[in-house]
Amino acid sequence: MNESIRERYEARAGVMKALAHPSRLYIVDELSKGERCVHELTDAIGSDMSTVSKHLGVLKSVGIVCDKKRGSEVYYSLRMGCVVDFFGCLEAVLRGGEGSSCAPGSLRKRRRE
Amino acid sequence: MNESIRERYEARAGVMKALAHPSRLYIVDELSKGERCVHELTDAIGSDMSTVSKHLGVLKSVGIVCDKKRGSEVYYSLRMGCVVDFFGCLEAVLRGGEGSSCAPGSLRKRRRE
DNA sequence: GATACACTTGGCTATTTTACCAAATAGCCA
DNA sequence: TGGCTATTTGGTAAAATAGCCAAGTGTATC
């Protein structure tokens, strides 16, 4: 795997990593319904506000969410709705799930083959 | 966030975590073109075979890939093609990307609002 | 100005993840 | 059987992550 290919996959992995945490997935889901400020999310999640703020920072750093200050509150919103579209696939993977050997017919929706 | 909600997001995060690594994303992409055995992937990726095998184990444990032994080789294939569909969104996030404040019009494709 | 929120940042520890090597397992073939 | 190839598993050290507290910044409100 050469340099530029590796970089491409590392960039993608950066976005996936930002999504690879339950609280951050919750945030994305919640923001898909509309903007929220930090303390609303903090209340819903139940961790320390500093923790939630850091999660938001992670999502923001890769461009999944953006923020806008209004008064003393900071409102976050989802910038990439397509992320939410993936949740359906996530559920399918979870249902598909004992997850091991290739039983005949267990392959679905293979592309470009 | 109550127990069952948390569990749901943790399950989803498990799948995302499995995808949150450049080599594993590469593997998924490669398998979308057809099945591959471990040493083919090892050659392409350039890490130790034991490392690649572990990556495959991670993908398999969440049900994204499955394996089938043929002779002394183990062939892996993609079980959940929908995962690959998400790569387009990943690229969009990357392009969308200085990634910070909500410029007017920077919101796209918001759902259920 | 003082106080109170709302939020972010720094610091720190605990946990998880990663990658390599070495060793174990399994199939193939002489 | 013995050797060879293909793959997995165990062990381990290094690096990345997560979450809390404390301290800092910015915006009202009194």
Side-chain angles (χ1 to χ4, degrees), chain A residues 5-113:
Chain A
I5 303 269
R6 171 160 302 280
E7 272 168 27
R8 170 201 221 73
Y9 285 101
E10 263 168 21
R12 287 183 183 181
V15 179
M16 296 303 288
K17 273 185 216 205
L19 291 167
H21 189 286
S23 300
R24 293 198 292 264
L25 287 178
Y26 175 85
I27 289 170
V28 168
D29 223 2
E30 193 61 22
L31 295 188
S32 75
K33 299 181 222 150
E35 58 178 23
R36 298 282 187 273
C37 65
V38 184
H39 79 265
E40 286 173 320
L41 294 167
T42 299
D43 290 348
I45 292 171
S47 325
D48 195 89
M49 181 181 273
S50 71
T51 300
V52 173
S53 176
K54 277 176 186 172
H55 283 315
L56 287 163
V58 170
L59 291 172
K60 178 172 143 180
S61 73
V62 298
I64 294 172
V65 305
C66 54
D67 63 339
K68 182 172 259 181
K69 190 157 198 168
R70 273 212 296 281
S72 61
E73 290 162 331
V74 178
Y75 283 85
Y76 281 84
S77 36
L78 191 60
R79 227 157 80 91
M80 293 290 168
C82 62
V83 168
V84 180
D85 299 338
F86 186 55
F87 289 0
C89 174
L90 241 40
E91 292 294 332
V93 173
L94 292 172
R95 277 193 305 278
E98 342 71 57
S100 51
S101 67
C102 298
S106 67
L107 307 180
R108 325 177 185 169
K109 223 187 148 196
R110 181 93 60 72
R111 300 158 86 210
R112 302 201 298 269
E113 189 174 358

Side-chain angles (χ1 to χ4, degrees), chain B residues 38-58:
Chain B
V38 185
H39 78 264
E40 288 173 317
L41 294 169
T42 299
D43 290 348
I45 291 171
S47 324
D48 195 88
M49 181 181 273
S50 70
T51 300
V52 173
S53 176
K54 279 178 185 171
H55 283 313
L56 287 162
V58 170

